[in-house]
Amino acid sequence: SQTIHQWPATLVQPVGSPLSLECTVEGTSNPNLYWYRQAAGRGLQLLFYSVGIGQISSEVPQNLSASRPQDRQFILSSKKLLLSDSGFYLCAWSPAVVGHNQPQHFGDGTRLSIL
Amino acid sequence: SQKIEQNSEALNIQEGKTATLTCNYTNYSPAYLQWYRQDPGRGPVFLLLIRENEKEKRKERLKVTFDTTLKQSLFHITASQPADSATYLCALGDSWGKLQFGAGTQVVVTP
């Protein structure tokens, strides 16, 4: 069966520090991968999605970036965190099949607090 | 701009009753709509998917309807149980596989 792992579960970082969040998927090949951010009481905001190694699409211009160095690894990064980067970050995957009408499967997220 | 609206007020319901949640959208023509359940501090869990040419979908005690004319989806939990207490998110999908989520409605089922 497929599983998705995100770490760390919680993170407290000072303003201006770098960030690296990692997400890995097991049990499937060539998945579509997604990074979302969820602010308190708000819907999930799609940040990045990827349909293959090295292929990243950005949905929201900001100081975050994403990379996909391996088929089942997705990394969210920042060189200098802002206070507004605080939130709940979620990674998700979906099968890469024709039609795209596929459910997304989420990790348990990283709670990021910027001080 | 595209907008998805879910009732921001928590839905308090007695065990055994049917909970009905609403998802309305504007300026959007989704190819499909999905419903997810999210527990506190956890990622969303997929429940049901309904396509634009489908009117109704059922899965056990769950039922989803999709009215593209009204631009509305209804999500029903029949014979609700305290374990159904959670936040429920609707998400609209485009032909590229991207989802746009509503803010969710919290459901509280009391014994």
Side-chain angles (χ1 to χ4, degrees):
Chain A
S1 64
Q2 301 91 359
T3 55
I4 179 169
H5 303 279
Q6 269 190 262
W7 65 93
T10 58
L11 189 60
V12 181
Q13 292 283 96
V15 171
S17 64
L19 173 74
S20 181
L21 301 180
E22 190 163 342
C23 170
T24 59
V25 180
E26 296 177 357
T28 188
S29 296
N30 195 32
N32 293 333
L33 296 172
Y34 310 85
W35 277 112
Y36 290 89
R37 177 170 59 204
Q38 187 176 32
R42 305 285 295 275
L44 279 70
Q45 179 187 34
L46 179 62
L47 302 175
F48 301 94
Y49 73 96
S50 171
V51 298
I53 296 174
Q55 301 178 62
I56 310 292
S57 295
S58 172
E59 290 295 300
V60 183
Q62 56 205 329
N63 69 321
L64 298 173
S65 63
S67 62
R68 184 171 177 172
Q70 300 181 48
D71 181 44
R72 289 167 290 179
Q73 183 184 30
F74 207 21
I75 298 172
L76 183 69
S77 304
S78 174
K79 292 181 180 177
K80 293 180 79 171
L81 286 167
L82 306 173
L83 281 175
S84 57
D85 291 324
S86 292
F88 190 43
Y89 287 82
L90 289 155
C91 180
W93 74 273
S94 68
V97 296
V98 174
H100 298 289
N101 296 347
Q102 298 297 318
Q104 293 184 13
H105 306 279
F106 288 81
D108 274 337
T110 295
R111 179 76 58 190
L112 176 64
S113 299
I114 310 299
L115 303 179
Chain B
S1 62
Q2 299 168 346
K3 195 172 182 182
I4 302 172
E5 291 182 338
Q6 294 187 255
N7 196 334
S8 58
E9 292 183 14
L11 178 63
N12 291 283
I13 192 164
Q14 196 173 13
E15 182 177 7
K17 302 293 186 182
T18 297
T20 298
L21 285 66
T22 303
C23 177
N24 295 302
Y25 58 93
T26 55
N27 299 323
Y28 205 108
S29 296
Y32 55 97
L33 188 147
Q34 300 181 4
W35 283 88
Y36 289 78
R37 168 187 173 138
Q38 187 174 24
D39 292 291
R42 307 294 299 275
V45 175
F46 170 76
L47 296 175
L48 281 168
L49 179 152
I50 186 165
R51 295 180 172 80
E52 59 178 334
N53 60 349
E54 298 176 318
K55 296 293 185 185
E56 182 179 299
K57 266 287 187 65
R58 292 175 184 262
K59 179 183 176 182
E60 298 174 352
R61 294 183 295 110
L62 307 179
K63 185 177 84 170
V64 173
T65 63
F66 193 12
D67 190 325
T68 54
T69 301
L70 292 178
K71 295 186 182 296
Q72 181 182 79
S73 174
L74 298 179
F75 178 80
H76 307 271
I77 308 172
T78 59
S80 59
Q81 303 168 0
D84 295 326
S85 298
T87 296
Y88 291 84
L89 310 173
C90 75
L92 276 59
D94 64 18
S95 55
W96 297 100
K98 292 188 293 182
L99 293 177
Q100 187 167 351
F101 283 83
T105 298
Q106 184 184 12
V107 173
V108 179
V109 182
T110 52

